[in-house]
Amino acid sequence: MQEKYISYNDRRIFYRITGSGKPVVLLHGFGEDGNIWNAQVDYLNKHYRLIVPDLPGSGRSDLINNLTTGLETYATVVKQILESENIQKPVMIGHSMGGYITLAFAEMYPEELHALGLFHSSGYKDDEAKIDLRRKAISFIKANGSEAFLKTSIPNLFFDQENKEPIDTLISNGKNFMPEALVQYYEAMIARPDRTMVLRNFMSPVLFVIGAYDKAVPFTHGLEQSHMPGIADIHVLRNSAHMGMLEETTKSNSILASFLANFTY
């Protein structure tokens, strides 16, 4: 496992790279860092070269202090990591917000992905109700801080809320987030456009992993968008909400391995 940094606008951006073979980028979601994929990295690194960034403001990466920072900026950061490693046409898998960034990347650099995956994520833009929830969350974060917010929100991302270990770990990590980072992410998600046309126009395979009890990305949205690409690989995690890589780790690993083996190379 190599631990590296790039510089982006004088900010240090951290990423890990491990394994050998065809390149696969794993992008984490809101309130997480690259460690959310640890079980998948351990499972896949014998056959693939895995690139796992901490997105700006998460984990060991600096926050980009720019009022115009959006999902497109994060996609550009990922592009710079790939260029620094001389990696071309990877598969990119994004969880939640990481999926939004994956779609932004696919829109900006459509010829530079071999395939993509949405892991509990969506091409739809936020509706008014979702925007209102995000605005309320921003107000709470500004008033109470990151850890307090994640303590209230993270349990709702899990189907089995009695399984305390992964919930407590994510909440504990919440103290490492600056409120400004979470606010920036929410503002970027609010501002994102509908990218379902990216799915419709994408000519390579698209993986959809859908949580049966997902409140953040409704089950119906997952099914609707899964029929948009020309080539789709669709999986439902029947005992998961929004955190399938932690809730159904073995099945998630198998889904990713099958997609990478059968659809992409």
Side-chain angles (χ1 to χ4, degrees), residues 4-261:
K4 296 187 175 184
Y5 288 89
I6 62 163
S7 177
Y8 180 86
N9 288 355
D10 297 323
R11 303 280 90 187
R12 278 163 53 90
I13 307 299
F14 174 79
Y15 65 100
R16 295 176 293 153
I17 186 164
T18 185
S20 60
K22 300 293 185 179
V24 179
V25 180
L26 299 174
L27 299 182
H28 66 80
F30 175 92
E32 307 163 3
D33 60 30
N35 289 310
I36 201 75
W37 295 110
N38 281 352
Q40 288 68 49
V41 169
D42 290 344
Y43 188 78
L44 296 171
N45 67 5
K46 296 178 182 64
H47 303 287
Y48 301 98
R49 189 181 187 198
L50 303 175
I51 304 93
V52 190
D54 286 351
L55 294 168
S58 294
R60 294 158 66 179
S61 289
D62 294 338
L63 180 67
I64 297 173
N65 296 313
N66 190 321
L67 293 176
T68 62
T69 298
L71 300 179
E72 297 79 11
T73 302
Y74 306 142
T76 301
V77 169
V78 175
K79 178 71 160 54
Q80 187 166 316
I81 290 172
L82 296 177
E83 290 177 348
S84 73
E85 295 290 341
N86 195 29
I87 290 173
Q88 299 177 346
K89 291 185 76 73
V91 177
M92 191 172 293
I93 309 288
H95 174 239
S96 194
M97 184 182 76
Y100 305 154
I101 297 166
T102 297
L103 289 175
F105 189 104
E107 183 176 62
M108 297 166 70
Y109 314 108
E111 303 302 320
E112 298 189 29
L113 286 180
H114 200 82
L116 66 84
L118 299 184
F119 206 108
H120 305 313
S121 194
S122 173
Y124 295 113
K125 68 178 181 179
D126 287 348
D127 59 21
E128 290 302 317
K130 189 73 170 182
I131 290 173
D132 184 58
L133 285 174
R134 295 200 199 278
R135 292 290 183 203
K136 290 177 179 176
I138 288 170
S139 296
F140 185 95
I141 293 165
K142 289 180 176 179
N144 300 283
S146 301
E147 188 174 8
F149 173 72
L150 293 173
K151 186 175 182 178
T152 65
S153 62
I154 284 173
N156 294 322
L157 302 177
F158 287 79
F159 171 52
D160 180 9
Q161 296 186 17
E162 298 303 315
N163 184 9
K164 296 295 187 181
E165 183 176 352
I167 296 174
D168 290 346
T169 297
L170 287 175
I171 291 173
S172 177
N173 290 341
K175 64 180 179 293
N176 299 319
F177 279 94
M178 292 187 297
E180 295 82 358
L182 298 187
V183 170
Q184 186 179 99
Y185 300 153
Y186 268 140
E187 294 286 4
M189 289 188 281
I190 289 170
R192 78 185 190 281
D194 183 285
R195 286 198 165 98
T196 54
M197 284 305 297
V198 176
L199 292 173
R200 297 182 192 278
N201 294 333
F202 195 69
M203 302 306 293
S204 297
V206 179
L207 170 69
F208 295 91
V209 180
I210 304 166
Y213 298 94
D214 196 341
K215 298 176 184 177
V217 179
F219 182 74
T220 54
H221 282 190
L223 289 182
E224 287 170 3
Q225 66 179 350
S226 67
H227 296 286
M228 295 176 184
I231 307 171
D233 187 17
I234 307 161
H235 297 269
V236 176
L237 296 177
R238 297 291 180 183
N239 297 297
S240 294
H242 195 64
M243 304 299 295
M245 73 282 287
L246 301 178
E247 296 188 274
E248 295 184 72
T249 301
T250 300
K251 187 171 182 180
S252 295
N253 291 349
S254 178
I255 288 169
L256 290 174
S258 177
F259 177 72
L260 294 171

